[in-house]
Structure formats: C-alpha cells, structure tokens
Amino acid sequence: MSQDCIRVLLVEDSPSDARLLCAALEDYPLQRFEIERAEQLSEALARLTRPTFDVILLDLNLPDSRGQETCRRLAAGAGEIPIVVLTGANDEAIAAEAMCVGVQDYLVKGQSTGGVIGRTIRYVVERNRSQQALRQSEAFTSKVLASSMNGLYIYDLQQQGITFINPAYT
C-alpha cells in the first residue's frame, strides 16, 4: 500500500492547522498523500459528490457546523469513505461519541506527530479496504448459495440453529 497515493479530504477551517498537518504528512516517509482542503462542512459535502477520496480528516468545529452534528452530517454524506476526527479537545468521551456516529479514529491536534497521523491514516484506509473486500466476498457467497440448484442450509453449532436456507432447499 505504501506505493499508492492516499487521497485525503481535509476539512479544516484554520489555515495554520491545515499548513501544519500538510507539512507533517509531507514529511511522513512511508506514504504519499494528496490533500484537498475544504474550510466548511457544506464545501466538503459538495466535494463528496465525486468519489475521489480515500479518507477524510475532519475538524469538529467549523464555521457552519459544530461538534457531533459535524460528524453525523459528514458520515451521512461520506458513504464508505472513512473519517478521522482531528480536534483540539483531548476528551475521550467526545472520541467515543464520534465513533458511535461513524468515525473510524480520533486524533488530538498538537499532540499527534506526522508519524502518528500518517500511520493512523494508512491503517484506517487499509482497514476500510479490507472491510469493503469482505463485504463484497460475503455478498458474492450469499448470491452463489442462494442461486444454487441444490438445496443448501447452514447449521450453526454455537447458536444451535439454522442460519441460512436457500430457495432450492425450501
């Protein structure tokens, strides 16, 4: 994965925070990043109409949205693009709440080095790619089993019950 360029949508209204983050990612030796910046949530949502991003870095407090509402609205518009929250607040409760609305990770501004940010982005993107591949594989397997001319069922020993019956079996 290190040879691929990771396309990042940085949603950050502070020019100085954006510059620091971009500089930190430029210095990260294991990965190349292509960063596009949006200063408001509405601008970020408009850019998501074209699926060109691998990850979104999100500041929680923007001129047109604040806190968990920012996470909810972006998660709804991001589809399967993973989101990493960047915020100045070092509060685990905020992190846990953000994770419940679809955010994959949480970093505190000023406390995260370029290596931590770069590694976090790489891991989030790779985990997302693995999850997408697993979902595609499961969908394909379900389709094959359901369309089989042979009667098939799956019995789960742990649940002590049948978890799947294809139409040919019924």
Side-chain angles (χ1 to χ4, degrees):
M1 183 171 137
S2 62
Q3 300 305 317
D4 296 338
C5 181
I6 293 180
R7 298 157 302 174
V8 178
L9 175 58
L10 172 59
V11 187
E12 172 62 70
D13 61 323
S14 167
S16 59
D17 285 349
R19 273 193 305 277
L20 287 171
L21 181 72
C22 290
L25 291 177
E26 283 176 12
D27 291 340
Y28 186 65
L30 301 175
Q31 184 68 56
R32 289 184 318 115
F33 299 95
E34 181 181 301
I35 302 170
E36 191 172 321
R37 183 172 162 230
E39 294 184 18
Q40 296 187 29
L41 182 61
S42 57
E43 184 183 350
L45 291 169
R47 290 184 187 195
L48 290 174
T49 59
R50 49 189 168 88
T52 59
F53 300 104
D54 298 308
V55 66
I56 300 168
L57 297 181
L58 175 65
D59 182 10
L60 282 179
N61 296 313
L62 299 167
D64 60 344
S65 184
R66 292 248 180 260
Q68 295 305 321
E69 183 62 23
T70 305
C71 292
R72 280 187 205 86
R73 289 176 56 198
L74 189 63
E80 294 192 7
I81 302 170
I83 301 169
V84 176
V85 166
L86 291 168
T87 187
N90 187 7
D91 186 343
E92 289 297 318
I94 292 173
E97 219 177 300
M99 301 290 270
C100 290
V101 297
V103 170
Q104 281 70 35
D105 214 331
Y106 177 91
L107 295 169
V108 178
K109 292 180 189 178
Q111 293 182 2
S112 302
T113 65
V116 170
I117 296 169
R119 186 174 56 248
T120 298
I121 291 171
R122 287 180 67 215
Y123 289 174
V124 164
V125 169
E126 189 57 37
R127 187 170 47 246
N128 187 57
R129 288 177 181 166
S130 295
Q131 288 170 342
Q132 285 179 351
L134 180 60
R135 281 191 296 273
Q136 289 172 348
S137 176
E138 288 172 344
F140 176 76
T141 301
S142 292
K143 192 180 283 187
V144 167
L145 291 173
S147 64
S148 174
M149 301 287 283
N150 297 320
L152 302 170
Y153 71 94
I154 298 173
Y155 185 87
D156 187 326
L157 293 173
Q158 291 179 338
Q159 293 182 7
Q160 298 287 316
I162 296 173
T163 59
F164 174 84
I165 299 176
N166 73 343
Y169 188 86
T170 56

